[in-house]
Amino acid sequence: MIFRNSKIFISKKYTNFQGLGRFSSQKYDPTINLFGREYPTDEWTNINQSIQNKLQRNLLHQRYHPLNHLANKIKHFFYKTYINRNGNPLFTIFDNFNPVVSVEQNFDSLLTPKDHVSRSKKDCFYVNKDYLLRAHTTAHDNELIRSGLNCFLTFGDVYRRDEIDSKHYPVFHQCDGVRLFDKNELFKDERLEMDIFEKNVSNLIRTFEKQKNYTLDASKIVEYDLKNTLTKLVQFIFGNS
């Protein structure tokens, strides 16, 4: 089960945001220092000073800030609701990852096509051709899954080159959740056990209901679990009414 891209926006109107323009050009020093590391600049570099100044704000960890309050509510819900057989929280939570990620993390590990528009300099803040400010917290999913985790939440600030208006801002915050099921978790009743992966070659097709390699039965169970989780989360945050 993957539930992701729950975006939290806090919008303000700014009238003097220098250097954000999507098509503006700017000269940069040979290197740029971000979080204590020097990165060489090149023709892809487009992260301006105004954005750099926002990297250290750390709103998610500011006590009494609305984002901190909301993130804590979400964490509490998952810690309270999902417990493993030993009585410990099922989900591991990460909320302090460096927002500077590699192009491989942000795009390649998620199988984003090389020519996809989301890779454009007009849409992302590039440190150089190899690194950028993450456009989504999903950029960390691949490495976490490879590390052996199958249930986790990631919180963080993300960056996209949006023009500022009442509904858009180049910095916002995101929570990404991932849960991977094995057969024993998905089919808890052995009498109802079915296949997760499709064995019938004729059914190895992607549809609006399922991905190519998974059975429709397994996909529907995960879909139900996802919807049920999100519904309970919303009710926990905002109340049943």
Side-chain angles (χ1 to χ4, degrees):
M1 176 182 70
I2 298 179
F3 44 99
R4 64 186 187 186
N5 296 351
S6 299
K7 303 170 186 175
I8 306 166
F9 295 91
I10 293 184
S11 299
K12 296 181 180 179
K13 188 173 182 181
Y14 291 80
T15 57
N16 183 24
F17 194 82
Q18 298 178 352
L20 177 62
R22 293 165 68 89
F23 304 101
S24 63
S25 59
Q26 181 178 342
K27 291 184 178 180
Y28 296 89
D29 293 333
T31 62
I32 183 173
N33 187 297
L34 301 174
F35 300 98
R37 176 178 173 180
E38 294 287 336
Y39 296 88
T41 58
D42 56 26
E43 69 278 5
W44 279 84
T45 306
N46 65 356
I47 172 174
N48 55 55
Q49 189 60 51
S50 184
I51 292 297
Q52 292 182 51
N53 293 340
K54 292 173 173 53
L55 293 176
Q56 303 290 347
R57 296 192 67 185
N58 212 16
L59 299 182
L60 277 174
H61 297 281
Q62 288 187 17
R63 191 177 182 185
Y64 304 126
H65 193 281
L67 286 171
N68 176 266
H69 179 66
L70 180 57
N72 285 338
K73 290 276 285 186
I74 295 172
K75 294 174 187 177
H76 182 63
F77 169 79
F78 280 94
Y79 279 153
K80 175 184 177 182
T81 307
Y82 295 94
I83 306 296
N84 64 22
R85 66 184 65 182
N86 297 318
N88 299 316
L90 189 64
F91 281 80
T92 305
I93 292 177
F94 301 90
D95 59 8
N96 202 30
F97 280 135
N98 191 325
V100 179
V101 298
S102 67
V103 170
E104 196 279 333
Q105 287 175 292
N106 201 80
F107 298 118
D108 298 336
S109 69
L110 303 173
L111 305 181
T112 306
K114 295 290 186 181
D115 59 350
H116 197 275
V117 65
S118 63
R119 293 176 179 255
S120 170
K121 289 173 62 176
K122 298 176 182 177
D123 292 319
C124 298
F125 287 105
Y126 278 89
V127 179
N128 54 38
K129 64 181 179 63
D130 297 317
Y131 292 92
L132 72 159
L133 299 181
R134 63 187 171 211
H136 41 236
T137 51
T138 316
H140 303 289
D141 286 359
N142 184 272
E143 59 189 304
L144 292 174
I145 292 172
R146 286 181 178 275
S147 73
L149 294 174
N150 56 13
C151 297
F152 57 84
L153 301 177
T154 53
F155 295 82
D157 44 344
V158 296
Y159 302 81
R160 296 178 188 166
R161 296 194 71 189
D162 282 333
E163 297 285 4
I164 295 175
D165 58 31
S166 62
K167 297 182 180 180
H168 298 87
Y169 194 64
V171 187
F172 54 100
H173 293 76
Q174 190 171 343
C175 171
D176 203 70
V178 171
R179 182 176 184 183
L180 306 181
F181 290 93
D182 61 25
K183 182 178 288 190
N184 293 328
E185 293 173 314
L186 201 59
F187 308 113
K188 296 180 181 179
D189 188 336
E190 293 183 359
R191 296 170 299 175
L192 302 176
E193 185 173 311
M194 294 172 279
D195 292 320
I196 292 179
F197 296 101
E198 188 62 68
K199 295 180 178 180
N200 189 335
V201 177
S202 63
N203 290 331
L204 287 174
I205 55 175
R206 184 187 182 102
T207 71
F208 72 93
E209 293 183 297
K210 74 178 191 72
Q211 294 178 318
K212 177 180 178 180
N213 294 305
Y214 298 101
T215 63
L216 181 59
D217 293 328
S219 299
K220 285 298 182 181
I221 293 174
V222 173
E223 177 185 324
Y224 173 81
D225 190 272
L226 170 58
K227 291 179 178 179
N228 188 50
T229 298
L230 293 177
T231 298
K232 289 182 178 179
L233 174 61
V234 171
Q235 291 172 340
F236 180 80
I237 295 173
F238 299 105
N240 292 327
S241 59

